[in-house]
Amino acid sequence: MKSLPLPLRLAAGLAATAVERARELPTQIAGLPVTVVSQALQATMRVQQHVTELAIKGDEALAALRPVEEAPEWATFDEDVDSYDLSRPAFDRVTDDDIDDLDDIDDEPVAEQAEVEVPDDPAAADPWEQEEQAITAAVTPPASIPNYDELSLPQLRARLRAFSVADLEEALAYERASENRASFVGMLTRRIATVRDQT
């Protein structure tokens, strides 16, 4: 059998390859996002590596141009200290001069400590208790609502229609200064707004 011309064989090979690639395309499309992301991450890591290498080379070049800094006089290191044997524990390294210095400190007179007066009433010494007493004394229950502190929320709600805006504002101010219960504050605030809208 006589072989076909080369261009025809090349065209047939290209067509067969195209058919094979077309069959593999669905599986390749599924993995395409992962492949693209992976290649992008690899490229960014390569760029970061090149940038880091350039920065290190730049540091080395600049270090050759800068003079070496000498250690300041106040900086001492373990290898600079000759008077102590660093192989021994610290409590073994105490010298006689150190002990004499401690003896001199013991001989100095100690200043007398001021006496602290302790009050007889423990409640008087507690600042929180004093603050609570001051707040309670400064805030008085609303005169228009007898036994306000003993009323529950439904009991107070049942009596609200009988009060004016001034009475309600007085009750609200007292509630905020004393218990500051959210349900009472909210109910009084809404009632004040309702009475104002009606007038």
Side-chain angles (χ1 to χ4, degrees):
M1 180 176 164
K2 188 176 179 182
S3 64
L4 297 171
L6 181 63
L8 187 58
R9 290 173 23 213
L10 287 175
L14 283 173
T17 304
V19 169
E20 288 175 3
R21 294 288 172 102
R23 288 181 186 154
E24 295 173 0
L25 191 59
T27 57
Q28 289 177 349
I29 287 177
L32 186 63
V34 176
T35 305
V36 169
V37 169
S38 166
Q39 289 176 351
L41 289 174
Q42 288 175 359
T44 56
M45 290 184 74
R46 275 191 229 107
V47 169
Q48 287 176 349
Q49 286 176 345
H50 290 305
V51 168
T52 305
E53 289 172 5
L54 287 174
I56 291 171
K57 285 182 182 178
D59 287 343
E60 291 172 356
L62 291 174
L65 298 176
R66 282 188 283 172
V68 177
E69 293 181 14
E70 293 183 15
E73 295 175 6
W74 51 266
T76 57
F77 302 96
D78 289 343
E79 59 268 8
D80 297 338
V81 179
D82 297 330
S83 61
Y84 291 114
D85 181 10
L86 297 176
S87 62
R88 296 186 316 176
F91 57 86
D92 288 343
R93 289 186 251 143
V94 176
T95 63
D96 291 337
D97 294 334
D98 295 334
I99 294 172
D100 291 340
D101 291 342
L102 290 174
D103 289 340
D104 293 341
I105 292 172
D106 290 341
D107 294 340
E108 294 177 6
V110 178
E112 294 181 9
Q113 295 180 353
E115 294 183 14
V116 178
E117 293 182 15
V118 178
D120 296 333
D121 183 16
D126 185 13
W128 298 110
E129 184 69 29
Q130 291 174 354
E131 183 179 355
E132 189 173 318
Q133 290 173 356
I135 290 172
T136 308
V139 178
T140 57
S144 58
I145 307 174
N147 302 329
Y148 177 85
D149 291 325
E150 299 169 8
L151 296 176
S152 66
L153 188 66
Q155 290 171 334
L156 181 61
R157 183 181 295 123
R159 298 180 185 181
L160 285 182
R161 295 189 185 273
F163 300 120
S164 66
V165 173
D167 296 337
L168 293 168
E169 287 175 343
E170 182 185 3
L172 179 61
Y174 174 73
E175 180 63 40
R176 284 185 174 153
S178 59
E179 299 286 327
N180 199 20
R181 297 168 288 191
S183 56
F184 281 73
V185 170
M187 182 180 65
L188 290 168
T189 305
R190 288 189 297 275
R191 181 61 189 163
I192 290 170
T194 304
V195 172
R196 284 186 179 153
D197 288 345
Q198 291 174 353
T199 56

